Amino acid sequence: MIFKLKILFFFLVIFVTKNYAQNLVPVPQFEKTDTLICAPPTITGIIIDVPPWFEYYSADYYNVCDTSNYWGVPQNIIGYQEAHSARGYIGLYAYYQTVFSREYIEVQLTSPLITSQTYYVQFYVSLADTMQYAIENLGALFTDTLFDPFPAPTFTWVTGIPQIENAAGNMLNDKNNWVAVNGAFVANGGEQYITIGNFRDDASTVKQYFGGTTINTLGAYYYIEDVYVGTTPPPVSVQENEQDTHNIKLYPNPNNGVMTLECNLLDTENGKLTIYDITGKLIRTYSLATGTKKVTIDVQLLEAGIYLYDVIVNGKKSRTNKMTIMK
């Protein structure tokens, strides 16, 4: 009897776990290792090619297998960002200042949504380093049939009202970290496509301007990864860089060149903080004494911009991330 109860419990755990974690989005992390995407790219860019996902108006695909620094991860032509949880991510324009521009990605769900069922939705975004604008209004639209925001023959923009949209007042301006856009809605039933992008026109898009001089960066371009749709809340996602054992925190970030590094070094451990520019050139190195808990870092002489940093403890890299200096 005890043996039978153990078997029953085992299968019950598998059933509950499987249903809790069920994601209706195929290829949610945009994983692709096809050699075609890793071929030497051209300056014109690589259109998204991660079946069954497809794009409208030239969204881009980035993967660690590309080593040209055009479409790679973490370094690419538009900025620097580690993948959120896998090897690749998508990039798209959600706004452009001088001309109307929208890019979208879309995929068919693994099964249609059920009438009156509540669905939870989440995807992660990070604003590309070189962008001069950020917006609030990224969202997810669910439709029964294929949604084409630029239908032929006129290719005039046709918008929809997304069931999920980033919360008002939550400007998506973080260039250092991945930020979750999430929400829940009750399905009408039959929805089987999800489209991600900005569904507002320019006038109703809430924007933030950072400044800059390069015409090619006069917009809001976002990396996107880890898309989830399911009947239960999405599992908590922790970036690999956050999983260090030394409780490392660098704040404020962005900063004006003065920041605080917190870490929990043991009495037998010592380390160092190394700072690099966006090209990977070493800029500064700071020693962390044995047992360091908190130290002030002053790099006010550095120019404003995006920098990378490593915290190395006893010769092993414990954390890698970005920091932004604003003046």
Side-chain angles (χ1 to χ4, degrees):
M1 173 64 80
I2 294 178
F3 177 77
K4 290 182 178 180
L5 287 175
K6 287 183 177 179
I7 292 294
L8 178 61
F9 178 76
F10 173 77
F11 283 104
L12 180 61
V13 169
I14 291 178
F15 175 79
V16 172
T17 303
K18 181 177 180 181
N19 279 269
Y20 177 83
Q22 184 180 17
N23 188 354
L24 299 180
V25 178
V27 198
Q29 298 170 329
F30 306 110
E31 276 297 271
K32 181 181 173 68
T33 57
D34 192 308
T35 55
L36 290 177
I37 199 63
C38 299
T42 64
I43 194 65
T44 56
I46 298 178
I47 305 303
I48 175 178
D49 182 21
V50 194
W53 286 89
F54 52 94
E55 55 79 32
Y56 288 105
Y57 204 48
S58 305
D60 306 300
Y61 180 58
Y62 302 88
N63 193 286
V64 297
C65 63
D66 177 75
T67 58
S68 69
N69 287 344
Y70 281 129
W71 315 109
V73 174
Q75 183 72 57
N76 51 68
I77 195 172
I78 208 77
Y80 182 102
Q81 183 58 269
E82 298 282 355
H84 181 255
S85 64
R87 293 165 47 90
Y89 46 71
I90 299 302
L92 58 80
Y93 269 107
Y95 168 78
Y96 206 80
Q97 192 266 334
T98 57
V99 63
F100 181 83
S101 180
R102 296 289 185 275
E103 294 177 340
Y104 299 90
I105 53 175
E106 184 170 359
V107 75
Q108 185 173 12
L109 302 174
T110 57
S111 62
L113 303 188
I114 299 171
T115 303
S116 300
Q117 172 69 55
T118 297
Y119 287 91
Y120 298 86
V121 182
Q122 179 172 273
F123 56 93
Y124 282 85
V125 306
S126 181
L127 181 64
D129 294 329
T130 55
M131 291 298 107
Q132 298 182 39
Y133 281 88
I135 69 168
E136 283 186 2
N137 311 113
L138 289 178
L141 173 70
F142 292 82
T143 53
D144 297 0
T145 57
L146 192 67
F147 177 73
D148 184 353
F150 301 98
T154 61
F155 295 100
T156 301
W157 182 61
V158 177
T159 187
I161 300 176
Q163 290 87 340
I164 302 297
E165 190 176 48
N166 180 53
N170 181 33
M171 184 63 66
L172 298 172
N173 56 10
D174 198 327
K175 296 182 177 182
N176 297 312
N177 305 293
W178 289 93
V179 177
V181 175
N182 50 36
F185 74 103
V186 177
N188 290 327
E191 299 95 331
Q192 57 180 329
Y193 291 90
I194 177 176
T195 306
I196 295 174
N198 175 17
F199 296 89
R200 299 193 181 203
D201 61 20
D202 286 353
S204 59
T205 294
V206 183
K207 303 171 283 289
Q208 178 184 2
Y209 178 58
F210 298 107
T213 58
T214 305
I215 187 66
N216 292 333
T217 63
L218 275 172
Y221 184 97
Y222 289 90
Y223 304 124
I224 298 177
E225 196 192 344
D226 276 331
V227 184
Y228 173 87
V229 177
T231 56
T232 59
V236 176
S237 178
V238 180
Q239 286 182 253
E240 183 178 353
N241 275 338
E242 302 296 336
Q243 297 176 0
D244 65 73
T245 59
H246 298 95
N247 299 316
I248 296 168
K249 298 177 182 178
L250 185 75
Y251 61 88
N253 191 10
N255 58 68
N256 64 359
V258 179
M259 67 209 82
T260 298
L261 175 67
E262 285 188 6
C263 54
N264 188 21
L265 300 189
L266 302 177
D267 291 339
T268 57
E269 295 178 321
N270 56 64
K272 63 180 179 179
L273 168 71
T274 54
I275 300 176
Y276 305 83
D277 67 16
I278 197 66
T279 68
K281 179 183 177 181
L282 179 63
I283 301 296
R284 295 281 192 280
T285 299
Y286 295 88
S287 296
L288 304 176
T290 296
T292 296
K293 305 301 180 186
K294 182 183 293 187
V295 61
T296 298
I297 305 297
D298 188 339
V299 289
Q300 294 183 79
L301 294 179
L302 294 182
E303 296 179 356
I306 304 294
Y307 294 85
L308 314 176
Y309 71 89
D310 291 336
V311 178
I312 300 172
V313 180
N314 286 355
K316 294 183 179 179
K317 190 178 295 185
S318 183
R319 180 175 173 84
T320 298
N321 212 330
K322 293 189 298 183
M323 68 173 183
T324 303
I325 296 178
M326 301 179 67
K327 296 183 179 181

